């Protein structure tokens, strides 16, 4: 798990290595300084000259300067390494998510992925900075200070061998108790983020139904749940400090009382004043190092669950990938479903699509109609391989979609989904998602076909008009037409509109279909619609019912022979019976 995480260090290996080196220099100087101070105290006690004092003073100043420089350089290197590591980690996760199929996204959920890229990575960044600096400094300080304490204090230093295991056992128990709590907390963070995301995205609905109080209560409940678990974990972690203080005072009482007794009783023969002062300093260094170890333990304990969650994303294999020696050219827009069955999850009991046997010729205009939940969208999502068929084959241009290079296939299958999405940026920038190299003339032509040029020209800045995040400054119908224009810029062999004209009036809808017939006759066009008027001029209309194809035919044929189509038509058109 940690090996996978360390792959993101990359170009920050150098500062990651330099930081411990500088820390080692800093610690060495800090451990040697008390020794020289003890020597200076003894020299002064013995009545040394001013030259000796100056000599020792200069040595101490130089060592203090080296220690300071080591600390500054270690801090700088650790900050650079941890920030760079976090940046690489975010990039790696984001790139990984880009290769996910819808199935992978469904597994994690959007709020969970957001939490992992923000809160979790911040926890790991802080832990990494402490590991390459503090977690190196503390053991070194402990070892060097132990050694120097035994050199200076002899038997008195054995007190540290008693205190250290007590502290270690205490820290181990704290970590053992808090790990499950942090695991629960991060799952609840996902739920909290989901609540926030839903509320912000649906703010207009919240306000129109005057549900602010309800949403506030829901958020408070989720936040309180997170706070409760965090409080329990923090209460356990808070034991670190009193445990550390207890060990510190035990050592200090022992060193002061026993050390003073030895100085007086032996008249400085077994322990003199200089050694005693050095021993006190080493006592503080050892215990402060143990204190820092407890802080590192806390940070690593919190970060450990974050590491699990991050690595889970990095190690998740995309459910859909391009095969070796993939086909990179789509011959035409023909589509074949050969006895296809499909379900979204392998553990699901019921198929979403059952025994779909369908053959569409290149250039046909196909309408798909059916009630809510009849699996219309599920059907078309198998064509660009957003999902893979559970059983059977889906072919485009006579080739199984699983044999294509994913990018090549999706470049030739343009899908305008039910939920139209525009990104923050100008209209031109949004449209060039369809073709980054599209000229202004091609953009305008695509907008004319999609019946979008007319309203764009009325904007003060025309195609340079800035679209707010989520396209909030354009209407639903305008957003749909811009998304259709964006799809047309791909010049695809297959164009799929998944209920993408529901927000435009029937006249505009008819003009869009007319433009499709006249200007892109060779492109296979599939229109999913709720209105029969949107598909009645199609070459063939597919009627879906509970994941199966109920009937296929023209508008006239279906009115005569299919009860579902006739019922939908009649409910939408009062004159349906007479026209039939």
């Amino acid at each position: 798990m940690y090996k996978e995480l360390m792959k993101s260090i990359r170009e920050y290996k150098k500062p990651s290595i330099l930081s411990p080196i500088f820390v080692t220099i800093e610690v060495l100087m800090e451990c040697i300084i008390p020794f020289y101070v003890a020597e200076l105290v003894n020299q002064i006690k013995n009545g040394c000259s001013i030259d000796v004092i100056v000599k020792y003073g200069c040595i101490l100043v130089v060592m203090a300067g080296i220690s300071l420089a080591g600390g500054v350089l270690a801090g700088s290197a650790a900050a650079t390494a941890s920030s760079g590591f976090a940046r690489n980690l975010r990039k790696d996760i984001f790139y990984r998510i880009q290769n996910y199929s819808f199935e992978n996204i469904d597994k994690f959920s959007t709020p969970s992925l957001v939490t992992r890229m923000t809160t979790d990575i911040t926890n790991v960044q802080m832990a990494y900075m402490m590991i390459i600096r503090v977690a190196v400094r503390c053991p070194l300080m402990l070892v060097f200070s132990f050694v120097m304490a035994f050199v200076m204090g002899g038997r008195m230093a054995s007190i540290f061998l008693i205190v250290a295991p007590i502290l270690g056992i205490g820290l181990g128990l704290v970590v053992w108790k808090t790990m499950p709590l942090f695991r629960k907390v991060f799952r609840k963070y996902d739920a909290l983020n989901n609540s926030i995301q839903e509320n912000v995205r649906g703010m207009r609905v919240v306000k129109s139904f005057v549900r602010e109080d309800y949403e506030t209560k829901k958020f408070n409940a989720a936040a309180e749940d997170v706070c409760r678990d965090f409080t329990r974990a923090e209460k356990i972690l808070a034991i670190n400090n009193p445990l550390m203080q207890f060990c510190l005072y035990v050592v200090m009482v022992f060193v002061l009382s026993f050390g003073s007794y030895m100085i007086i009783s032996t008249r400085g023969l077994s322990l003199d004043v200089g050694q005693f002062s050095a021993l006190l300093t080493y006592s503080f260094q050892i215990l402060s190092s143990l204190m820092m170890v407890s802080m590192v333990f806390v940070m690593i304990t919190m970060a450990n669950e974050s590491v699990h969650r991050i690595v889970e994303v990095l190690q998740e294999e995309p459910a859909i990938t391009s095969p070796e020696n993939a086909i990179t050219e789509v011959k035409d827009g023909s589509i074949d479903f050969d006895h296809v069955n499909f379900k979204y999850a392998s553990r699901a009991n019921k198929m979403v699509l059952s025994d779909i046997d369908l053959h569409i010729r290149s250039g046909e205009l196909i309408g798909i109609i059916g009630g809510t939940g009849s699996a219309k969208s599920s059907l078309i999502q198998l064509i660009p391989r957003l999902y893979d068929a559970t059983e059977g084959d889906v072919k485009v241009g006579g080739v199984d979609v699983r044999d294509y290079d994913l990018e090549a296939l999706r470049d030739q299958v343009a899908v305008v989904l039910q939920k139209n999405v525009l990104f923050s940026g100008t209209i031109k920038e949004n449209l060039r998602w369809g073709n980054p190299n599209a000229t202004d003339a091609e953009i305008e032509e695509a907008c004319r076909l999609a019946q979008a040029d007319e309203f764009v020209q009325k904007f003060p800045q025309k195609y340079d008009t800035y679209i707010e995040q989520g396209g909030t400054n354009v209407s639903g119908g305008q957003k749909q037409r811009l998304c259709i224009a964006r799809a047309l810029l791909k010049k695809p062999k297959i164009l799929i509109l998944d209920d993408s004209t529901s927000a435009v009036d029937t006249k505009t809808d008819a003009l869009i279909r007319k433009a499709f017939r006249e200007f892109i006759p060779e492109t296979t066009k599939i229109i999913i619609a709720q209105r029969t008027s949107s598909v009645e001029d199609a070459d063939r209309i597919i009627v879906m019912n509970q994941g199966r194809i109920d009937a296929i035919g023209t508008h006239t044929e279906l009115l005569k022979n299919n009860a579902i189509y006739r019922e939908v038509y009649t409910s939408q058109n009062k004159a349906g019976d007479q026209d039939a």
Side-chain angles (χ1 to χ4, degrees), residues 540-560:
R540 287 186 293 164
I541 301 169
I542 300 166
V543 180
M544 296 291 297
N545 183 34
Q546 296 183 351
R548 295 178 179 272
I549 294 177
D550 191 77
I552 302 177
T554 63
H555 170 69
T556 305
E557 291 170 346
L558 291 173
L559 276 179
K560 289 180 180 178

Side-chain angles (χ1 to χ4, degrees), residues 320-344:
I320 295 175
T321 56
S322 299
E324 289 186 25
N325 304 316
I327 296 170
T328 56
E329 184 179 352
V330 180
K331 185 177 69 174
D332 57 44
S334 62
I335 304 166
D336 298 285
F337 286 79
D338 294 327
H339 301 287
V340 168
N341 295 317
F342 170 70
K343 55 185 178 180
Y344 284 102

Side-chain angles (χ1 to χ4, degrees), residues 6 18 66 86 103 118 121 124 143 147 157 187 197 224 254 261 263 431 482 490 513 521 544:
M6 293 303 105
L18 285 175
I66 294 172
E103 184 181 333
T118 51
I121 288 182
V124 170
V143 171
V147 171
R187 282 199 295 270
Q197 201 172 56
E224 186 64 35
F254 177 82
Y261 171 77
I263 292 172
L431 293 176
L482 287 172
K490 291 182 76 172
R513 296 197 312 277
M544 296 291 297

Side-chain angles (χ1 to χ4, degrees), residues 18 27 52 83-84 99 115 132 150 154 166 204 215 226 235 262 271 294 313 341-342 375 405 416 421 437 483 499 555:
L18 285 175
V27 170
V52 173
S83 298
N99 292 323
T115 304
I132 62 174
F150 273 101
I166 295 171
R204 288 174 175 78
E215 287 295 316
V226 171
K235 280 181 179 178
M262 284 185 68
L271 184 75
S294 72
V313 176
N341 295 317
F342 170 70
D405 175 78
V416 184
V421 177
N437 301 315
C483 289
D499 202 17
H555 170 69

